[in-house]
Amino acid sequence: MTRARTPRATAPADIHGRWSPALWGLLFVLAGNMLIDALEVSVALVALPAIGDDLGLTTAQAQWVVSGFAVGFGALLLFGGRVVALLGRRPVYLTALLVFAAASLVSALADGATLLVATRFVKGFCAALTAPTGLAIIASTFPEGPARSRALSVYTLFGASGFSMGLLLSGVLTEVSWRWTFAFPAPVALILFVVGLRLIPRDRPDPRTPRRYDASGALSLTGAMLLLVYAIASGPDAGWGHPVTVGSFTLAALLAAVFVRVERTGKHSLLNLSLLAHAPLVRSAVGAGCLNGSYLGLLLVSTLDLQRQAGFDPLRTGLAFLPAAVPLALTALHSGRIVARFGPARLIAAGAGAAALGYVLLPRDGGAVHYATDVLPTLLLVGAAFVLAFTAFHVQATGSVPAAQQAMAGGIYQTAVQLAAALMTVLCAALYPVGRGPVLGLITAVGIAGLAVALLGLLPRRPAYVAARRGPSAGHPQDVRHRPQDGT
């Protein structure tokens, strides 16, 4: 049988360490896709008021544009790893790029909330397939050592820059129409697909992988999250005691119980529940999830305040958020070395202090909103908390478990981060009509409580943070990096 030719991208560097154009091209595809994945949440945040006004949606309804993507990403991340392991990295990656491009175009043309949210959910699933798989392709293609470290640095930089770029790009495009914020990734994804056809290496699924997708686990977790978000979003309009709201909460709880039972009793389940016995992993996942969720909730409320009360246009709103977002991108390449130097416990403690101070400074009097005094100080402090603590959370989470289970631990960690974003977004949107005081109180409570949980028991034991020396880790809110293994 004739063996398929491996693309030139797998060719090693020459004797001087120079990469071939094909190798650079492969990195362009992987890093470019990481960039548009990271853009997806921030572009939706700034455009949210325009989307709501155009489609006639309340704040609680419009937030689905953000939470739909987060649920598709977080709830299906572990399932996506199984799909990649069974079908192979190359076909899944390329297919996800095509679907992502198609969903982007449909999003831009959607004339109603249902279709728009459905496409956002699909794009979230595509990100769950491509973002971690890009790391696996780098690990299998670039030689270990300086070449791989350089590739990871480029990949990290693109991913960390995506969130910041999305804020500004959304502001520019929304000035024309919010639809362009969802349309522009389509041609980019198509270009990456065409180049990727030539350069992404062929691979064969690991024959040791169990031939089971665990669709029941994936569907029960996804259904539980969608119903929970729906129940919270429908509460303000239908009423919290309405049968639809109560029924949605009840069904969400039942599906969550089904998920736990499936994962406990299944032979080849998506989630190894025994990992939840590792306290540092759980604390780090809770802390990072609360930090990420409270930050996105803050951006959501600030977007609404600045555009509806302070008279900011979308471009000015995007610019207003950059002082907090840009440092995340600028420090991304050094985050691994920073964690290795100081250790995760110290950085998490410092980040917790910065975030707590930022949230305490939030004004809750419901008066006029002034950017320089009411918004900027908190944005700067919470942004500093991400710079200090987010990579440390990741290293603490994955470094606390045996090496063979670190990929699964990374998946659990990232699932918590994404699902926390979905829940905080809908909670803030549901409370916003009540007044700024309650919603900012929720953001403060979640941010401080989550970080307090993360600090429990963070006394140094063994230097798990040495994993940070293996390569840089991104430090932005939508980071999806964990140990690069097949399908995760």
Side-chain angles (χ1 to χ4, degrees), residues 280 284 335-352 388-400 454-455 458-468:
S284 298
S335 58
R337 287 190 290 272
I338 293 172
V339 176
R341 171 66 177 83
F342 296 102
R346 294 178 182 176
L347 295 175
I348 291 172
L388 292 167
F390 205 73
T391 299
F393 273 133
H394 180 270
V395 172
Q396 183 74 35
T398 57
S400 66
L455 289 173
L458 274 182
L459 295 176
R461 293 182 177 85
R462 63 182 183 86
Y465 55 85
V466 295

Side-chain angles (χ1 to χ4, degrees), residues 132-336:
T133 306
L135 273 180
I137 295 175
I138 289 176
S140 64
T141 304
F142 291 81
E144 186 174 2
R148 185 179 299 172
S149 296
R150 189 191 313 169
L152 288 172
S153 296
V154 174
Y155 190 79
T156 295
L157 180 61
F158 273 63
S161 301
F163 191 83
S164 304
M165 289 180 58
L167 294 170
L168 182 58
L169 187 60
S170 179
V172 173
L173 295 177
T174 305
E175 290 290 331
V176 181
S177 171
W178 64 265
R179 297 180 183 277
W180 285 106
T181 64
F182 298 130
F184 84 88
V188 178
L190 287 176
I191 292 172
L192 296 177
F193 171 79
V194 172
V195 179
L197 277 175
R198 170 69 175 167
L199 298 179
I200 293 179
R202 301 181 185 278
D203 66 299
R204 294 181 178 179
D206 189 343
R208 297 170 297 179
T209 302
R211 304 300 300 179
R212 185 173 182 271
Y213 289 95
D214 192 11
S216 56
L219 289 174
S220 57
L221 176 60
T222 305
M225 286 304 305
L226 289 174
L227 282 167
L228 181 57
V229 173
Y230 177 79
I232 297 172
S234 63
D237 295 328
W240 297 105
H242 192 277
V244 172
T245 306
V246 175
S248 298
F249 277 122
T250 303
L251 287 175
L254 289 175
L255 283 177
V258 169
F259 171 73
V260 172
R261 179 171 178 79
V262 168
E263 299 308 297
R264 289 184 61 184
T265 59
K267 289 185 177 180
H268 305 292
S269 58
L270 296 175
L271 176 61
N272 183 354
L273 293 176
S274 66
L275 284 177
L276 300 182
H278 292 266
L281 168 60
V282 174
R283 287 195 302 267
S284 298
V286 170
C290 289
L291 179 60
N292 187 46
S294 59
Y295 180 53
L296 290 180
L298 175 66
L299 291 181
L300 172 65
V301 173
S302 299
T303 296
L304 297 171
D305 284 345
L306 292 175
Q307 294 190 33
R308 293 180 175 174
Q309 295 189 33
F312 280 36
D313 57 29
L315 176 56
R316 192 178 177 190
T317 303
L319 290 171
F321 292 152
L322 289 184
V326 168
L328 301 175
L330 295 180
T331 59
L333 295 180
H334 309 289
S335 58

